C-alpha cells in the first residue's frame, strides 16, 4: 500500500502563515487571438513571485505568499520546516511548501517540484512596454531561475484539474523547496523526512522545474565543490630559494589541473574546472606562506553516487605531483553526472551543465527535468524570458504530468 506522505512529516500549522497581498492581473492588455485563457493569471502569479525578494536563506515571504495563493485556489498546503541559514533574518522561519487537491492527505504518484530561492542580488520585476504579446519580455531576479517554472507548474496543474484531465485521486503533489541555489538543504530535508518513515512512499515520477529552454533534459553534469589550501615557507622576496611560495605552488597546480583530462562522456562532454576564488600572500616583497582556491568542478562522468570521487582523485594526484606535502583539499559536497528521462514524444531534448535538486531527493523514481527560460541569462543582470516561454511551459508541464500518470 502506498504510504501517506504527510502522515509522519513534521509540519508547521497553516495558521502560522503571515498573509501576503495578491496583486491583480497585469495592467497590460492581451491582444493576440491565440491568447490562452490563463494568460492573465499566469503573468500575475509570475509577477508576484518575482516581486518578492527570496535570496537563499530568506525565503519566508515568498513561501507565505505561495501558501496563501494555493489555498485560495482550493489546495491544501502544508509547511515543512527547514533549518535557518546564516542569512536568515531573526524570527523568519524557513520552510518547504507541499500542496495538493482533495480532502485527504496525498499518497503522491507524481511530484511536481521547483525551488523558490534565488541568487543575489534582488532585481525588481519589469516587463517590456505595450500590449502583451507572445514576444513580450519579462525581467527580474528569478524570472527564469526558477520562478518561471513555479508559476508555470501551478497554472498547468490548475488547468489539468479544471478540465478534469486529472482529479485529486490521481495523487499529484506540488513541492516547492528552499535553498537549492546554495546547498539543496530544502530538498535534502524533504528527502530525509521520507527516509525516517516506516514505509517510505514509492512515488512514480518527479518533474523538476529548471530552465531548459522548454526542452526535456536527458540529464545534467555532476558537481564537485572544494577548497584547496597551499602551505609554503615565508621569507624575503629577494631570496626566494630560502622559502617556498604558496602562490607559486598554487599557480603551477592550477595550470596542470586546467590542462588535465578530468573525465568526459559522450552525453555530457568534458569535466570542467572553475577557479571561482583565489587569494594568497601578504605583500609583494614577502614570499607567501598561504594560498587558497575555491573551485567548482562540473563532472561529466558517472555514476551519480561516485563520479565526483573519480574527479577528486585526479585532482589530488596533480596536487601530489606538484608538491606532495604542500596541499590540503577539503570538499563540501559532490556527485557524478545525473541522468533523467527525456524519452517523451513531442519534446526536443537537451543536456545542461548546471546542478539541480535531483541528487538531493533519494529514491527509485522516474526523473523529468524541464522548464522555461535559458540558463545563459539566469543569475545575470538581465535575467529574462518571454510570455511565450511561460505559456509553452504550462503546456509542457501538463503533457509531462499526464504522461507520468500513464506510465
Amino acid at each position: 500500500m502506498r504510504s501517506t506522505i504527510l502522515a509522519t512529516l513534521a509540519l508547521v500549522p497553516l495558521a502560522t502563515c503571515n498573509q501576503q497581498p495578491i496583486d491583480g492581473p497585469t495592467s497590460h492588455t492581451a491582444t493576440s487571438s491565440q491568447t490562452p485563457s490563463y494568460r492573465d493569471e499566469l503573468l500575475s502569479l509570475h509577477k508576484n513571485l518575482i516581486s518578492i525578494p527570496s535570496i537563499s536563506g530568506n525565503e519566508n515571504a515568498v513561501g507565505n505568499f505561495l501558501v496563501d495563493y494555493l489555498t485560495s485556489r482550493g489546495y491544501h498546503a502544508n509547511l515543512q520546516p527547514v533549518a535557518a541559514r546564516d542569512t536568515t533574518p531573526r524570527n523568519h522561519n524557513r520552510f518547504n511548501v507541499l500542496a495538493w487537491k482533495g480532502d485527504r492527505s496525498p499518497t503522491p504518484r507524481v511530484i511536481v517540484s521547483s525551488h523558490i530561492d534565488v541568487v543575489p542580488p534582488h532585481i525588481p520585476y519589469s516587463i517590456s512596454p505595450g500590449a502583451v504579446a507572445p514576444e513580450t519580455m519579462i525581467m527580474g531576479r528569478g524570472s527564469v531561475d526558477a520562478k518561471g517554472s513555479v508559476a508555470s507548474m501551478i497554472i498547468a496543474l490548475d488547468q489539468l484539474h479544471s478540465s478534469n484531465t486529472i482529479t485529486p485521486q490521481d495523487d499529484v503533489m506540488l513541492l516547492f523547496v528552499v535553498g537549492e541555489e546554495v546547498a539543496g538543504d530544502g530538498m535534502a530535508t524533504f528527502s530525509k523526512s521520507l527516509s525516517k518513515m516506516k514505509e517510505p512512499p514509492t512515488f512514480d515520477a518527479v518533474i523538476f522545474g529548471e530552465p531548459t529552454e522548454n526542452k526535456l533534459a536527458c540529464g545534467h553534469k555532476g558537481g564537485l565543490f572544494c577548497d584547496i589550501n597551499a602551505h609554503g615557507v615565508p621569507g624575503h622576496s629577494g631570496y626566494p630559494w630560502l622559502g617556498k611560495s604558496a602562490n607559486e605552488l598554487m599557480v603551477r597546480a592550477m595550470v596542470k589541473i586546467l590542462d588535465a583530462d578530468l573525465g568526459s562522456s559522450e552525453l555530457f562532454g568534458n569535466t570542467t574546472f572553475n577557479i571561482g576564488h583565489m587569494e594568497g600572500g601578504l605583500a609583494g616583497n614577502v614570499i607567501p606562506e598561504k594560498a587558497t582556491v575555491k573551485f567548482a568542478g562540473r563532472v561529466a562522468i558517472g555514476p551519480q553516487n561516485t563520479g565526483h570521487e573519480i574527479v577528486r582523485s585526479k585532482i589530488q594526484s596533480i596536487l601530489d605531483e606538484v608538491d606532495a606535502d604542500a596541499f590540503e583539499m577539503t570538499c563540501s559536497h559532490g556527485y557524478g553526472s545525473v541522468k533523467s528521462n527525456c524519452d517523451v514524444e513531442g519534446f526536443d531534448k537537451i543536456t545542461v551543465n548546471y546542478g539541480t535538486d535531483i541528487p538531493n531527493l533519494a529514491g527509485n523514481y522516474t526523473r523529468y527535468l524541464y522548464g522555461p527560460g535559458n540558463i545563459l541569462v539566469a543569475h545575470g543582470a538581465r535575467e529574462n524570458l518571454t510570455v511565450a516561454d511561460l505559456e509553452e511551459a504550462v503546456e509542457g508541464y501538463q503533457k509531462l504530468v499526464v504522461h507520468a500518470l500513464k506510465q
Side-chain angles (χ1 to χ4, degrees), residues 101 155-167 398 402:
K101 291 264 183 147
I155 299 301
L157 223 57
D158 273 357
Q159 292 296 300
L160 290 173
H161 281 297
S162 63
S163 64
N164 292 320
T165 303
I166 65 171
T167 68
Q398 290 185 74
V402 171

Side-chain angles (χ1 to χ4, degrees), residues 363-379:
N364 183 20
Y365 55 89
T366 302
R367 309 143 159 196
Y368 301 98
L369 178 59
Y370 172 87
N374 190 317
I375 192 62
L376 299 182
V377 299
H379 296 198

Side-chain angles (χ1 to χ4, degrees), residues 119-140:
V119 299
H122 175 66
I123 300 175
Y125 174 94
S126 64
I127 187 169
S128 53
V132 170
E135 63 273 14
T136 297
M137 182 180 293
I138 300 169
M139 292 179 288

Side-chain angles (χ1 to χ4, degrees), residues 29-32 35 39 43 130-137 386-388 391:
T29 302
T31 58
S32 170
T35 300
R39 176 179 285 178
L43 298 187
V132 170
E135 63 273 14
T136 297
M137 182 180 293
T386 66
V387 171
E391 292 173 350

Side-chain angles (χ1 to χ4, degrees), residues 84-100:
R85 301 188 65 85
D86 292 341
T87 55
T88 304
R90 185 175 297 179
N91 300 324
H92 277 208
N93 295 322
R94 298 181 74 216
F95 50 84
N96 298 327
V97 177
L98 294 73
W100 67 96

Side-chain angles (χ1 to χ4, degrees), residues 145-262:
D145 188 12
K147 293 177 180 180
S149 289
V150 174
S152 301
M153 287 173 163
I154 293 172
I155 299 301
L157 223 57
D158 273 357
Q159 292 296 300
L160 290 173
H161 281 297
S162 63
S163 64
N164 292 320
T165 303
I166 65 171
T167 68
Q169 286 69 40
D170 285 313
D171 295 326
V172 179
M173 189 178 78
L174 291 168
L175 170 64
F176 298 124
V177 299
V178 300
E180 189 273 345
E181 294 289 4
V182 177
D185 49 350
M187 185 63 78
T189 296
F190 177 73
S191 183
K192 188 175 181 179
S193 71
L194 302 182
S195 69
K196 293 180 178 179
M197 298 172 68
K198 290 184 178 179
E199 295 183 20
T202 55
F203 37 84
D204 299 330
V206 181
I207 301 169
F208 293 87
E210 292 283 357
T212 66
E213 304 170 40
N214 285 325
K215 299 174 183 177
L216 197 54
C218 299
H220 64 78
K221 284 185 175 180
L224 179 64
F225 307 92
C226 308
D227 294 352
I228 298 175
N229 293 297
H231 304 281
V233 178
H236 195 290
S237 64
Y239 304 87
W241 57 88
L242 297 180
K244 179 190 285 189
S245 170
N247 283 355
E248 180 182 338
L249 292 170
M250 187 67 80
V251 169
R252 292 183 184 278
M254 292 302 102
V255 170
K256 284 182 174 290
I257 293 169
L258 289 170
D259 289 342
D261 178 3
L262 298 177

Side-chain angles (χ1 to χ4, degrees), residues 342-357:
C342 58
D343 189 19
V344 181
E345 186 176 352
F347 290 88
D348 292 333
K349 300 178 182 180
I350 194 174
T351 58
V352 295
N353 295 345
Y354 55 79
T356 74
D357 260 333

